[in-house]
Amino acid sequence: MVDRFKDIVKSGGENVSSLRVESVLATTPASRGPRWSGCRTTAGELMEHCRATLAGFECPKDVLFVDSLPETVGGKVLKYRLRQAHDGHFTAHA
């Protein structure tokens, strides 16, 4: 695993690296956002893209769109803040 332990998700008894899923999502034109790419996408389209690339247990079960991501001064996404802010959403979908 190349990801940090706390960024590993258990799915179907398997460890899933969030870095792997993020890298697949980053290959979609819409991942750059409509302001830059002129593209819009749906959760279904993103999940379909993942199903075409990732193993079934690695695919997101849901997608949540947000206006911005909490970042450090250096631009690194603060994943713990995302987990805190949206914990109820994903435990409800587990």
Side-chain angles (χ1 to χ4, degrees):
M1 284 284 155
V2 294
D3 215 346
R4 291 171 35 165
F5 179 74
K6 63 185 171 185
D7 293 330
I8 299 296
V9 177
K10 278 277 202 187
S11 177
E14 299 285 340
N15 290 331
V16 178
S17 166
S18 66
L19 273 178
R20 180 163 162 73
V21 177
E22 290 167 14
S23 69
V24 168
L25 289 171
T27 64
T28 64
S31 68
R32 289 181 231 115
R35 182 170 46 174
W36 294 282
S37 67
C39 297
R40 292 203 179 266
T41 192
T42 65
E45 289 170 336
L46 291 174
M47 289 190 292
E48 183 64 32
H49 177 73
C50 287
R51 282 192 288 273
T53 309
L54 298 169
F57 69 89
E58 294 176 301
C59 294
K61 308 295 185 271
D62 195 15
V63 174
L64 182 64
F65 292 94
V66 295
D67 291 327
S68 63
L69 297 172
E71 295 180 346
T72 65
V73 175
K76 183 177 177 184
V77 175
L78 296 169
K79 292 182 183 180
Y80 78 93
R81 286 218 182 134
L82 289 172
R83 285 189 289 271
Q84 290 171 345
H86 304 290
D87 182 52
H89 176 81
F90 291 102
T91 54
H93 288 86

